Amino acid sequence: MDALLICPECGHEWSPEAPTDEAAEVRDSVGNVLSDGDTVTVIKDLKVKGSSSVVKVGTKVRGIRLVDGDHDIDCKVPGIGQMGLKFQFVKKVSD
């Protein structure tokens, strides 16, 4: 039908030129591409929701894992524990 492709099972329509649903690159606050296992530094004091704890500026987080969802990074923050971070609040550390 015209310039759109149609799925015969569900009726979903899409353009053949549309980008595929490949994983988008996740970039840190300064534009460096992040990947699983990278080490990042927190660039802003972050309050921990539901707690009186704070993740301080300069906290180094090792071995991040990229995930889909509201928070792009799943990691273990020293002194805090397991939590999710947003990419705009971290900077990649060159090892």
Side-chain angles (χ1 to χ4, degrees):
M1 208 180 196
D2 297 327
L4 295 178
L5 299 175
I6 301 173
C7 175
E9 293 179 10
C10 68
H12 175 73
E13 299 178 359
W14 72 95
S15 171
E17 291 92 30
T20 58
D21 289 336
E22 295 177 13
E25 291 182 335
V26 176
R27 295 182 178 266
D28 67 3
S29 61
V30 293
N32 298 320
V33 177
L34 296 174
S35 59
D36 286 345
D38 283 346
T39 300
V40 297
T41 302
V42 177
I43 62 166
K44 177 182 176 183
D45 282 348
L46 301 172
K47 294 181 182 177
V48 178
K49 195 172 193 176
S51 172
S52 61
S53 302
V54 175
V55 179
K56 296 286 189 181
V57 169
T59 301
K60 193 179 274 190
V61 181
R62 302 179 197 284
I64 65 169
R65 194 175 81 230
L66 303 178
V67 295
D68 291 332
D70 187 31
H71 293 78
D72 307 299
I73 300 170
D74 190 28
C75 59
K76 188 173 184 179
V77 178
I80 303 292
Q82 194 73 22
M83 68 182 299
L85 296 173
K86 293 189 177 192
F87 64 91
Q88 63 258 37
F89 300 122
V90 299
K91 179 181 173 187
K92 185 174 180 178
V93 175
S94 56
D95 292 324

